[in-house]
């Protein structure tokens, strides 16, 4: 008789964004006349930039001719894309990352969920609280966590690092030493950022304690302040302790196209074992690469025209972020984020819980956001709005909230 992986049974409810989608669909079916504005999941709304569309068309045509047809992609991804990444994302920032330290994938969500596979289940993870749920849920599935306390909404055997208004939503070094530290900056969900000096403290801490940092930099393109690092490899010693996850979803609108990459420097080792070789083994065995046409689209992101068009797109979303931030501040809400990130983090008014505010906003303003408690216990009474809507919808949503 077969047995299931009963770690899955420990997971409470469904994935956060699935729960939200179900609630919103139920409301919309009951009230088909209402115009719902969705600022919940961080999904982009602007079309792909013209340079990316051109690259896709060109690559599709190549696939239609025997001489230029492409089958399986190389394990690590095409050299043309890995070189463009190295030049633009690393060398241009003074970071010495080699093309063969980049692993192309179909997105940072999969990588952030899969990366834990190369570590022992005995490792203890530390996560920011609130946190992107994928990091914790995938460790639960792997059996790396203990049991769930539904009252406190925490897992045993997980180190939670509270990120609250008091510490400007930046985690403090934990009292108990973790083996694996998940960091995401600019942060999802709080929209906070940390300076290079603050990140250097984490790198020094990891190198001192022998921990590995899994650094999710999916939102780096939204950084507007000088002293905020775009990659962890700007910090000294990071190549010996950090894996970096990157995405094309938020910087270039690829949520429906799917492309990302993971950086594992060769010098990142556990004793004599290189994590690079473990991930290469895993990647080669379980993955057949992002499609050629998508990798060509990714290359176009780094072309001069692509860069200019994408800059405009990010400015568009950041104009929304500013509108939400200032509009809600003006209406008396306690709001943060939105400066180096497309996420705005606000305190639910009048002592409401996160889900109470979710329901209140859906019913009274027909605006969808994400309840902060869905990201962890320290997110309770907070709420996340995204700047990824259209400008018109963003303005209307803020006006509706202001009128409540
Ligand atoms: C979010 O809303 O937190 C993100 O869209 C989730 C993701 O990128 O997977």
């Amino acid at each position: 008789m077969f047995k299931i992986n009963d770690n899955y049974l420990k997971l409470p409810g469904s994935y956060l964004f699935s729960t939200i989608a179900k609630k919103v669909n139920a409301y919309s079916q009951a009230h088909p006349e209402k115009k719902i504005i969705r600022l919940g999941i961080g999904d982009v709304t602007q079309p792909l930039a013209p340079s990316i569309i051109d690259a896709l068309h060109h690559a599709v045509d190549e696939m239609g001719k025997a001489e230029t047809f492409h089958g399986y992609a190389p394990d690590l991804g095409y050299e043309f894309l890995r070189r463009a990444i190295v030049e633009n994302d690393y060398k241009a920032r003074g970071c010495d990352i080699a093309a063969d330290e980049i692993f192309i994938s179909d997105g940072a969500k999969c990588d952030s969920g899969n990366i834990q596979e190369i570590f022992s289940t005995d490792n203890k993870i530390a996560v920011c609280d609130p946190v992107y749920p994928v990091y914790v849920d995938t460790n639960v599935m792997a059996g790396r966590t203990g049991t769930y306390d539904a009252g406190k909404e925490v897992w045993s055997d997980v180190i939670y690092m509270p990120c609250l208004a008091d510490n400007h939503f930046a985690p403090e070094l934990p009292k108990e030493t973790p083996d694996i530290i998940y960091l995401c900056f600019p942060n999802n969900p709080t929209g906070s950022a940390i300076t290079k000096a603050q990140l250097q403290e984490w790198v020094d801490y990891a190198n001192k304690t022998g921990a590995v940092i899994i650094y999710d930099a999916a939102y780096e393109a939204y950084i507007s302040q000088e002293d905020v690092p775009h990659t962890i490899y700007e910090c000294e010693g990071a190549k010996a302790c950090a894996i970096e996850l990157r995405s094309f979803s938020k910087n270039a609108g690829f949520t429906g196209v799917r492309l990302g990459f993971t950086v594992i420097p060769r010098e990142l080792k556990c004793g004599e074992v290189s994590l690079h070789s473990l991930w290469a083994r895993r990647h080669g065995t379980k993955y057949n690469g992002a499609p050629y046409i998508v990798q060509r689209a990714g290359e176009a992101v780094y072309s001069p025209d692509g860069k200019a068009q994408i800059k405009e797109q990010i400015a568009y979303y950041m104009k929304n972020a500013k509108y939400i931030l200032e509009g809600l501040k003006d209406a008396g809400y306690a709001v943060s984020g939105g400066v180096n990130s497309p996420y705005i983090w606000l305190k639910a008014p009048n002592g409401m819980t996160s889900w109470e505010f979710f329901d209140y906003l859906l019913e009274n303003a027909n605006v969808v956001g994400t309840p902060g408690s869905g990201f962890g216990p320290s997110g309770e009474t907070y709420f996340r709005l995204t700047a990824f809507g259209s400008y018109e919808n963003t303005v209307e949503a803020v006006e509706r909230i202001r009128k409540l």
Side-chain angles (χ1 to χ4, degrees), residues 15 17 40-43 109 132 134 188 219 250 343 375 384:
Y15 182 60
F17 293 106
I41 191 162
D43 195 3
K109 181 176 183 178
Y132 180 44
V134 174
N188 179 14
Y219 299 92
K250 319 294 164 144
Y343 294 130
F375 297 102
R384 193 192 78 177

Side-chain angles (χ1 to χ4, degrees), residues 316-384:
Y316 176 94
Y317 291 131
M318 288 313 278
K319 187 173 156 198
N320 292 348
K322 192 162 185 254
Y323 196 90
I324 303 174
L325 194 66
E326 289 177 359
L328 296 189
K329 217 177 252 177
D330 194 48
Y333 284 84
V335 227
S336 59
V339 174
N340 295 296
S341 143
Y343 294 130
I344 288 91
W345 192 238
L346 58 124
K347 185 89 178 156
N350 309 322
M352 277 189 248
T353 65
S354 300
W355 278 107
E356 281 167 355
F357 188 57
F358 173 89
D359 290 333
Y360 175 76
L361 215 57
L362 179 60
E363 279 157 29
N364 297 288
N366 305 141
V367 171
V368 180
T370 309
S373 57
F375 297 102
S378 296
E380 183 56 285
T381 75
Y382 284 94
F383 200 74
R384 193 192 78 177

Side-chain angles (χ1 to χ4, degrees), residues 226-300:
E226 270 296 302
D227 58 349
V228 175
H230 287 252
T231 155
I232 195 164
Y233 304 115
E234 287 179 44
C235 296
E236 216 168 298
K239 281 169 67 180
C241 69
I243 292 173
E244 182 162 283
L245 310 173
R246 298 282 281 259
S247 168
F248 284 74
S249 289
K250 319 294 164 144
N251 63 341
F254 276 43
T255 54
V257 179
R258 308 309 306 150
L259 190 65
F261 62 92
T262 287
V263 185
I264 309 191
R266 286 193 177 275
E267 66 187 77
L268 177 46
K269 291 191 172 158
C270 178
E272 287 308 301
V273 181
S274 117
L275 297 191
H276 183 282
S277 63
L278 297 188
W279 188 243
R281 185 69 171 88
R282 192 241 173 236
H283 220 57
T285 305
K286 291 197 175 185
Y287 190 59
N288 256 338
Y292 172 73
I293 56 174
V294 172
Q295 296 198 43
R296 279 291 182 202
E299 182 190 28

Side-chain angles (χ1 to χ4, degrees), residues 179-202:
D179 302 300
I180 303 172
I181 303 165
Y182 285 85
L183 294 178
C184 170
F185 287 104
N187 187 255
N188 179 14
T190 67
S192 66
I194 56 174
T195 62
K196 185 170 161 186
Q198 283 175 297
L199 186 56
Q200 184 67 56
E201 270 184 49
W202 281 98

